[in-house]
Amino acid sequence: MAEIEREAMEYDVVIVGAGPAGLSAAIRLKQLDADLNVVVLEKGSEVGAHILSGAVLDPCGLDALIPDWKEKGAPLNVPVKGDKFYMLGEAGQVRIPNFPMPPLMHNHGNYIVSMGNVCRWMAEQAEELGVEIFPGMACSEMVYGENGEVKGVVAGVFGLEPDGSYGPNTEPGMELHGKYVFLSEGVRGSLSKEVIAKYDLSAGKEPQKYGVGMKEIWEIDPAKHKEGSVTHTMGWPLGSNAGGGSFIYHLENNQVYVGFVVHLNYKNPHLYPYMEFQRFKHHPMVADLLKGGKRVAYGARAITEGGYQSMPKLVAPGVALLGCSAGMVNVPRIKGNHNAMLSGKAAAEAAYDAIKAERSGDELTVYETEVRNGAIGSDLKKVRNVKPMWSKWGLTASLMLGGLDMWTNTLGFSLFGTLGHGKNDAESTEDASKHQPIDYPKPDGTLSFDRLTNVSFAATNHEESQPCHLRLADPEIPVKVNLPKYDEPAQRYCPAGVYEVVEDESGPRFVINFQNCVHCKTCDIKDPSQNITWTTPQGGDGPNYPNM
Ligand SMILES: Cc1cc2nc3c(=O)[nH]c(=O)nc-3n(C[C@H](O)[C@H](O)[C@H](O)COP(=O)(O)OP(=O)(O)OC[C@H]3O[C@@H](n4cnc5c(N)ncnc54)[C@H](O)[C@@H]3O)c2cc1C
């Protein structure tokens, strides 16, 4: 094929992804120097369209970035008023008192927010400062310079033929070059994955760990609504099958975020995370709350869980990984937005200093040092053993030992050192023959819903004539390996029903309904053969979340 010719545009800093990390970086750069040329590229149809968080926001990131956010009208309208933890059994629950919890677990001073709306507001702040933001522009390729440094990205490729070739309607996109490129794609970013592999940034680190988070917005009976209430649960229905838990956050307007996270290191390939979530809503405590209400939105997204010891090296020549592209979630707090913001700010400050010193295309080592030794490192370090303890010793032991470890870490030491994670999540999957299939109750259509009906509440959309963005390294593996060995778990781990095994006269066939994809990235993480690569579809495609 002839070399593709693309126009190139030059910037000081090119930012991939308009989440809290990318937008914070853009804002900070322009705060430091209004003359810097900064561009943010976002694959969602608008800023916020692909943002899915709980979310209880710790405002420390915003405080550092925009100290007068209140006066400027940031949509942080619901302070947390109550904070409850429950251990669930099938028919009841036990409340875990707040007093034994280390202070870092308390939600006092935090806000229940729509992170989609927070990002929309941050984008307005950035644009007022002169940042160029282009939604509907997916970054599909990295551009490397002559010396192996990152030089930019390719964005805005549209209208490829189904086989990936160029056709009459193809727009080749453009190259956006920067003195520095920030990858702020969130969890399991497709370009970040390439960059981590190319520069071997995970060398010497623990494997990254993940969960899949699913979330619905419910409008409930006003009599049951308690604005500002935060509830977390653990235990049923997951039991010993998998780690994870739920969150129930009461925001404004009688709305409630109901979410469920399943850790992706589960062994039993019969496990069906989406159905665990649906089953959870039938717990008497949850069912009582939701009865009479209606589900108005659904979405799903993976969440990074590896924490401090899994963060890759954050910089390579010309590029920096921000926020959850590097995995900055504090797992027991289920919070990463504050660290995403702080990382954006720190990367911007490092790039500003470098550009002022007429540098470009080198490693922003000051950023790396700030993340590891500053507020982010200190937040993540204190909780670094919680996830490995949960994986190794199960829920009850890890609750006690993890609590003890968080307390001692708050005082400055740990009895456990730094525990490792061992395997990655794909490797944790065991043969189907070692496990019993799980019999999930059929959704009742009132509290629980079948997957495809729920996906319609994510308003996801993909232009059908484009190539499938879910690439199989070997198309034979799903039926020849994954089906006999693991009962092809893609049928179950995908929270959007993208993958099916269809039986016809010629035998089983693996079908990919990429139109349903909600960009959660679970397949890229959990496929036991590591045969699926999530690549970005053309810009503007994917979910259209309202106020997730
Ligand atoms: C179910 C769930 C509940 C959570 N609850 C909370 C909570 O209560 N509190 C909290 O603080 N944190 C919570 N988190 C974690 C939080 O969502 C993340 O830490 C945070 O989103 C990280 O921000 P980010 O900017 O790094 O990435 P993201 O918020 O994921 O933003 C990345 C952006 O980049 C875009 N993008 C990605 N790739 C490309 C590309 N190639 N080209 C163009 N654009 C691209 C995406 O569309 C997206 O808009 C939760 C996560 C989940 C999944």
Side-chain angles (χ1 to χ4, degrees):
M1 195 166 69
E3 189 92 343
I4 298 156
E5 293 220 353
R6 293 189 172 103
E7 277 181 40
M9 288 179 75
E10 304 295 326
Y11 287 89
D12 289 307
V13 181
V14 173
I15 301 176
V16 179
L23 290 168
S24 299
I27 289 170
R28 187 68 188 137
L29 281 161
K30 294 295 270 187
Q31 285 173 340
L32 290 166
D33 183 350
D35 291 332
L36 288 175
N37 288 319
V38 180
V39 66
V40 180
L41 303 149
E42 167 55 49
K43 67 180 163 59
S45 58
E46 51 147 354
V47 171
H50 291 184
I51 296 294
L52 181 131
S53 248
V56 172
L57 179 67
D58 176 341
C60 66
L62 211 48
D63 288 341
L65 186 72
I66 308 178
D68 56 346
W69 55 261
K70 240 180 217 159
E71 292 72 39
K72 289 197 159 129
L76 276 65
N77 305 325
V78 181
V80 175
K81 293 188 191 133
D83 202 1
K84 292 181 181 159
F85 281 83
Y86 291 98
M87 181 66 80
L88 300 190
E90 186 164 1
Q93 67 277 347
V94 176
R95 178 153 178 213
I96 303 172
N98 289 12
F99 70 84
M101 306 255 185
L104 65 92
M105 292 296 287
H106 298 167
N107 273 313
H108 183 76
N110 297 334
Y111 293 81
I112 301 174
V113 298
S114 152
M115 269 317 286
N117 288 346
V118 171
C119 287
R120 289 177 185 107
W121 176 84
M122 290 178 77
E124 284 168 20
Q125 306 307 303
E127 281 180 331
E128 273 173 25
L129 292 167
V131 175
E132 291 177 40
I133 302 182
F134 296 123
M137 290 285 270
C139 302
S140 48
E141 284 174 50
M142 299 300 300
V143 179
Y144 298 100
E146 280 169 8
N147 301 316
E149 81 283 12
V150 168
K151 188 173 158 195
V153 292
V154 172
V157 179
F158 288 95
L160 288 171
E161 295 290 300
D163 64 359
S165 63
Y166 275 55
N169 299 320
T170 304
E171 291 172 32
M174 57 196 319
E175 289 191 6
L176 296 109
H177 297 168
K179 292 176 181 147
Y180 295 97
V181 173
F182 289 173
L183 295 178
S184 42
E185 300 178 284
V187 52
R188 197 73 164 194
S190 44
L191 298 180
S192 311
K193 187 178 163 187
E194 173 182 322
V195 162
I196 290 170
K198 179 176 167 75
Y199 298 103
D200 203 12
L201 301 181
S202 283
K205 314 286 182 201
E206 285 294 311
Q208 186 54 270
K209 305 291 283 182
Y210 302 89
V212 53
M214 295 148 286
K215 180 174 145 192
E216 294 170 353
I217 305 181
W218 279 72
E219 273 167 21
I220 62 162
D221 177 354
K224 300 178 188 170
H225 188 257
K226 289 190 193 128
E227 191 173 293
S229 153
V230 164
T231 299
H232 291 103
T233 75
M234 285 177 283
W236 192 86
L238 289 172
S240 57
N241 275 327
S246 83
F247 57 89
I248 302 174
Y249 304 152
H250 292 236
L251 57 160
E252 300 147 285
N253 304 325
N254 300 317
Q255 290 197 329
V256 176
Y257 291 142
V258 183
F260 200 78
V261 176
V262 176
H263 300 171
L264 285 173
N265 60 354
Y266 61 83
K267 295 176 184 163
N268 181 351
H270 299 295
L271 191 100
Y272 195 158
Y274 173 83
M275 293 304 279
E276 296 288 346
F277 176 32
Q278 297 308 304
R279 185 148 78 154
F280 156 75
K281 289 181 288 170
H282 287 271
H283 187 277
M285 184 179 93
V286 189
D288 276 354
L289 177 74
L290 300 181
K291 258 180 206 151
K294 65 172 185 202
R295 169 270 278 112
V296 294
Y298 167 75
R301 184 92 162 97
I303 179 166
T304 55
E305 295 185 341
Y308 189 78
Q309 54 273 55
S310 299
M311 256 197 306
K313 185 177 170 205
L314 304 172
V315 293
V319 69
L321 299 170
L322 277 54
C324 278
S325 282
M328 295 186 185
V329 170
N330 179 317
V331 179
R333 297 180 76 202
I334 339 179
K335 287 186 186 61
N337 288 308
H338 61 301
N339 286 337
M341 290 178 185
L342 291 171
S343 77
K345 179 172 175 285
E349 286 166 0
Y352 164 75
D353 284 343
I355 292 168
K356 223 171 57 173
E358 299 192 349
R359 282 165 43 205
S360 67
D362 57 1
E363 293 194 3
L364 294 171
T365 45
V366 173
Y367 165 60
E368 173 103 30
T369 310
E370 170 58 26
V371 170
R372 290 191 193 275
N373 300 343
I376 299 172
S378 123
D379 183 52
L380 296 181
K381 218 169 172 180
K382 287 189 197 111
V383 301
R384 67 192 181 281
N385 289 327
V386 173
K387 167 81 182 178
M389 282 178 176
W390 198 334
S391 309
K392 283 185 216 308
W393 301 324
L395 177 57
T396 317
S398 71
L399 262 182
M400 288 184 293
L401 295 174
L404 170 72
D405 196 53
M406 284 192 282
W407 265 114
T408 59
N409 270 298
T410 307
L411 303 172
F413 69 100
S414 168
L415 299 170
F416 299 92
T418 298
L419 299 175
H421 296 299
K423 294 177 189 163
N424 68 33
D425 293 328
E427 290 162 347
S428 302
T429 316
E430 293 182 345
D431 287 10
S433 59
K434 285 192 182 168
H435 297 273
Q436 290 299 318
I438 304 170
D439 190 18
Y440 289 101
K442 214 166 138 11
D444 69 356
T446 308
L447 282 178
S448 48
F449 311 99
D450 69 77
R451 203 167 37 176
L452 289 184
T453 305
N454 236 355
V455 171
S456 68
F457 283 77
T460 193
N461 178 49
H462 290 83
E463 169 61 50
E464 294 200 17
S465 60
Q466 69 187 301
C468 172
H469 65 280
L470 303 156
R471 310 252 166 93
L472 300 181
D474 178 349
E476 308 257 298
I477 281 184
V479 167
K480 288 220 167 121
V481 179
N482 283 359
L483 188 58
K485 202 167 155 59
Y486 306 107
D487 193 25
E488 185 45 280
Q491 303 175 87
R492 292 172 294 281
Y493 61 58
C494 171
V498 167
Y499 302 98
E500 282 179 281
V501 176
V502 176
E503 286 279 346
D504 54 28
E505 320 79 68
S506 50
R509 201 160 44 83
F510 190 60
V511 177
I512 305 179
N513 305 301
F514 73 85
Q515 294 84 353
N516 291 355
C517 178
V518 293
H519 298 199
C520 74
K521 319 274 174 82
T522 303
C523 52
D524 193 289
I525 297 162
K526 186 61 178 169
D527 176 33
S529 302
Q530 285 294 276
N531 186 44
I532 303 176
T533 298
W534 191 99
T535 64
T536 183
Q538 67 184 34
D541 286 358
N544 285 286
Y545 294 137
N547 55 341
M548 291 287 216

